[in-house]
């Protein structure tokens, strides 16, 4: 399984999916594995550099973050390396802390059995190959299985077309499964297939959707996503 580095236009989606896969996997295991996964997620969210694929933090700092002693840190870090989830890129030497990277392919491969626990939308998105993004003057979009939306003159169709033109991968994964409900005074209501889908769209695209709605129709003041 090839997993593109979470950088570029769809970086936030990729990062969120990796953390979601880890969370679902941890919750499906016993309390000891749950704690291990939580510890790794704490390192990722507080100290991991996604751009450089570098986790640089000393054992004393990790012990403080995990509320444990350094012996526990050494043991747990060794387990992460043995599992293949962490890869040592530079060992600790001469006062420098070790530098680790994440093996995203191994993490996603090991967590795949519990993807269904998150939802079919996650499975479809995670199993769709994503082309790695490289610096270039040409913007390369991930392949989309969703047909480009047409603008029939309605507010929602205009938003969909604008969003698709700007970010077809995110449109295919998230907005293509939304349906317009209609107006409630100055509020525009759209429907998502699941609570997870609704929450994700609201947290990741809500502000962007509302800005586009107000650009196309200034009378829209708020956005509501139901399921």
């Amino acid at each position: 399984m090839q997993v593109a580095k979470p950088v570029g236009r769809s970086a936030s989606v990729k990062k969120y999916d990796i953390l979601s896969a880890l969370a679902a996997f941890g919750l499906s295991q016993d309390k000891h594995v749950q704690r291990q996964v939580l510890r790794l997620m704490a390192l990722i969210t507080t100290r991991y550099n996604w751009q450089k694929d570098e986790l640089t933090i000393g054992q004393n700092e990790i012990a403080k973050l995990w509320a444990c002693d350094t012996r526990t840190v050494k043991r747990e870090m060794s387990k992460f390396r043995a599992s293949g989830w962490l890869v040592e890129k530079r060992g600790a030497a001469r006062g420098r802390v070790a530098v680790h990277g994440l093996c995203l392919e191994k993490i996603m491969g090991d967590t795949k059995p519990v993807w269904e626990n998150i939802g079919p939308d996650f499975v479809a998105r995670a199993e769709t190959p994503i082309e790695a993004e490289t610096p270039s003057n040409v913007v390369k979009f991930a392949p989309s299985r969703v047909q480009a939306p047409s603008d029939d003159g309605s507010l929602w169709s205009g938003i969909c077309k604008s969003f698709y033109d700007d970010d077809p991968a995110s449109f295919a994964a998230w907005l293509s499964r939304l349906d317009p409900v209609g107006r409630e005074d100055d509020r525009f209501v759209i429907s998502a297939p699941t609570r997870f889908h609704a929450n994700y769209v609201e947290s990741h695209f809500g502000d962007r959707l509302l800005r586009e709605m107000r650009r196309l129709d200034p009378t829209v003041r708020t956005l509501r996503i139901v399921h």
Side-chain angles (χ1 to χ4, degrees), residues 13 16-17 20-21 115 117-123 125 173-174 177 192-204 225-227:
V13 176
Y16 193 90
D17 285 349
S20 296
W115 289 358
N117 296 354
I118 301 175
D121 52 332
F122 179 92
V123 176
R125 190 170 61 256
W174 298 102
R177 300 183 63 197
T194 66
R195 180 188 297 273
F196 174 83
H197 200 107
N199 291 341
Y200 190 97
V201 170
E202 183 174 5
S203 62
H204 288 76
I225 303 175
V226 299
H227 63 88

Side-chain angles (χ1 to χ4, degrees), residues 78-206:
S78 178
K79 289 180 180 179
F80 288 136
R81 288 191 295 268
S83 70
W85 287 11
L86 282 185
V87 178
E88 188 175 75
K89 302 176 72 172
R90 188 190 72 200
R94 298 180 180 178
R96 296 186 306 182
V97 300
V99 178
H100 290 85
L102 287 180
C103 184
L104 301 181
E105 293 84 359
K106 189 68 166 62
I107 290 174
M108 295 303 283
D110 288 350
T111 59
K112 188 173 182 178
V114 300
W115 289 358
E116 285 286 353
N117 296 354
I118 301 175
D121 52 332
F122 179 92
V123 176
R125 190 170 61 256
E127 289 183 341
T128 301
I130 300 176
E131 181 179 350
E133 299 177 49
T134 55
S136 170
N137 291 330
V138 179
V139 178
K140 297 182 179 181
F141 294 113
S144 171
R145 299 177 183 175
V146 177
Q147 185 177 1
S150 59
D151 189 349
D152 61 10
S154 66
L155 176 58
W156 181 245
S157 67
I159 291 168
C160 288
K161 188 177 186 305
S162 176
F163 204 105
Y164 180 89
D165 291 342
D166 184 57
D167 191 351
S170 294
F171 175 86
W174 298 102
L175 266 71
S176 65
R177 300 183 63 197
L178 300 176
D179 293 311
V181 175
R183 292 284 294 268
E184 295 177 351
D185 296 326
D186 59 356
R187 174 183 295 172
F188 195 89
V189 183
I190 55 180
S191 174
T194 66
R195 180 188 297 273
F196 174 83
H197 200 107
N199 291 341
Y200 190 97
V201 170
E202 183 174 5
S203 62
H204 288 76
F205 307 114

Side-chain angles (χ1 to χ4, degrees), residues 25-94:
F25 176 79
L27 291 170
S28 71
Q29 306 297 309
D30 62 39
K31 63 181 180 181
H32 302 292
V33 178
Q34 288 179 7
R35 182 168 58 186
Q36 288 177 342
V37 173
L38 178 59
R39 284 170 169 169
L40 179 60
M41 292 178 67
L43 289 179
I44 293 173
T45 55
T46 60
R47 289 293 183 267
Y48 181 62
N49 186 317
W50 294 95
Q51 183 74 33
K52 296 181 179 180
D53 181 31
E54 290 185 353
L55 175 64
T56 308
I57 180 173
Q59 291 182 355
N60 289 332
E61 291 178 275
I62 297 176
K64 185 176 181 180
L65 176 64
W66 289 354
C68 65
D69 55 39
T70 55
R71 287 187 302 174
T72 300
V73 171
K74 293 178 181 178
R75 182 174 64 251
E76 294 288 76
M77 294 297 284
S78 178
K79 289 180 180 179
F80 288 136
R81 288 191 295 268
S83 70
W85 287 11
L86 282 185
V87 178
E88 188 175 75
K89 302 176 72 172
R90 188 190 72 200
R94 298 180 180 178

Side-chain angles (χ1 to χ4, degrees), residues 3-20:
V3 181
K5 182 190 293 185
V7 296
R9 212 178 259 272
S10 56
S12 61
V13 176
K14 298 174 191 174
K15 294 174 185 177
Y16 193 90
D17 285 349
I18 291 166
L19 292 172
S20 296

